[in-house]
Amino acid sequence: MKRSAGILLPIFSLPSAYGIGSLGAEARAFANFLHDAGQAWWQILPVGPAGAGDSPYASESTFAGNPYFIDLELLAKDGLLTDEELASARVPEGDRVDYAAIHESRGELLRKAFQRVSGETAEAARAFTERNPWVREYALYRAVKKHFNNAAWFDWPDAALRRHEPAAVEHWRAELAEEVAFQTCVQHWFFTQWEDLKSYINGLGLGLIGDLPIYVSLDSADVWSERREFLLDEEGRPSKVAGVPPDYFSEDGQLWGNPLYDWDAMRANGFGWWIRRVEGASRLFDAIRIDHFRGLESYWAVPAESDTAKVGAWEKGPGMDLLGVLTGWFPQVTLIAEDLGILTDGVHALREASGLPGMKVLEFAFDRPDNAYLPHNYASPRCVCYTGTHDNDTAAGWYSQAGEQERAFAAQYLGVEDPDAGKMEKALLRAGQGSVAELFVAQMQDYLGLGSEGRLNVPGVGSGNWRWRMRSGQAPAELARDIRSLTALYGRCNPAEEPGKPEEDERDRED
């Protein structure tokens, strides 16, 4: 990576008149903001269908896109929704996503759009499926779940279908053909809009950083259709599940509950599932952050019957056997190691061997002068510095919750005489921008000066997360100029632009 900067803002956090961020005009407006602010990267969270607790890290597919991100006004522009239907979907703007309301209404609206699909669009959807074989399995999975009242695949009454036997699969594909076609069309819409948006973003000289969650959900199209890749019994149930032991985030650890991979089986087939997975992600993103990188060196395996992640054992991960394959297959993709959590010499050695840049989180830094996350201790510029990640509080929220000694050391280190006057987050941003890290990323909430009300996620808490949204007009041109000035000062301004005050151009701010 070149010396640069970026901002973290999930798609769902974009402003919108329809209750949740989407891939339409507001996404382009934020890309314009990043461009004007001299940023080179827009980091987002996973964009698959959100699962338990509305978490983007608990998706029912590692390949599919979130239907709620489909922009309704773009569908209306294509003649698939009426002005009256758009009006019925509009909600008062707020700073929280109301998932319950969206779950209730959005599917019906998309089905109305599907009823108006032309033969040309239907043919395009079929061509999309041919280019993306995973769509056949995912669309059928979604159709069967609807037919069986949203039951998990391992609770479906058809045992042969649970086992993904070809005859049963084809029987239900024919039986539920209309629903399969709808689910296929929804994915076609998502990826058509995504490709247009990504082309626009890249045209501004910006890159997209996306997350690749290390695990997939047990109730997912991936596990149902490719059970051989996972450690499951004959009924499709795991004896051990994924999590992390007690740590900074949670005294009980985090019990994720995801099935564990059968690494021996994956190694025997050349990690084909992972190759397909990263290939899919590489079509969405220009750089991929490998979530929970330490799990590739060793992972915490928890008995499936456990109530917490306190009880478990470390088991050996695939290490360079997998990473060597991925870096060999995808030399054009920037991979970033999310090397946080309980780190060992083995984890550090794996990151060094892989050549991937790791992460430095400033909110973790201020307990002692020899902390590795303090900017003066960065041994190499090949890393990504963050104020905080999506799992952390905002910079202002972090400081308000920090202990007295941590606050005092942070104020002294950052040279802030009046930290309670909104200056701490600015000092943290300046420290990150000025660090030697090749890439610096801050949450958008930190540039907005928000406190804990802007936090995205509290790890270990099952509900109420992933809701914060930015309001329309909350990111004005003056803020972009301020960010550009700071970014240029520390030599990070997007090389596609000359440092200094951005000039207005003829970009279409609506399209």
Side-chain angles (χ1 to χ4, degrees), residues 37-150:
Q39 304 301 285
W41 295 96
W42 178 1
Q43 180 167 341
I44 58 177
L45 302 186
V47 295
D54 302 304
S55 171
Y57 292 89
S59 181
E60 61 188 15
S61 171
T62 193
F63 297 100
N66 191 330
Y68 298 158
F69 294 166
I70 293 172
D71 188 76
L72 300 179
E73 293 186 353
L74 290 177
L75 292 183
K77 187 176 181 180
D78 290 337
L80 299 177
L81 292 174
T82 67
D83 290 342
E84 292 76 13
E85 288 163 346
L86 283 182
S88 70
R90 294 191 183 99
V91 297
E93 186 176 32
D95 58 5
R96 291 288 184 272
V97 178
D98 185 349
Y99 285 106
I102 293 172
H103 293 330
E104 183 177 346
S105 63
R106 191 58 53 90
E108 180 181 352
L109 204 58
L110 293 177
R111 289 179 190 279
K112 288 180 179 179
F114 176 66
Q115 292 169 2
R116 301 183 179 114
V117 164
S118 66
E120 182 179 351
T121 301
E123 181 57 38
R126 283 191 289 271
F128 167 74
T129 302
E130 292 176 2
R131 297 192 305 272
N132 300 274
W134 60 265
V135 178
R136 283 175 56 82
E137 300 293 353
Y138 176 72
L140 178 58
Y141 165 85
R142 284 298 315 154
V144 175
K145 278 185 72 73
K146 182 176 185 298
H147 180 77
F148 289 132
N149 298 315
N150 211 38

Side-chain angles (χ1 to χ4, degrees), residues 42 92 144 222 276 301 383 385 405 444:
W42 178 1
V144 175
D222 311 288
R276 297 195 305 276
C383 62
C385 176
Q405 290 185 336
M444 184 62 189

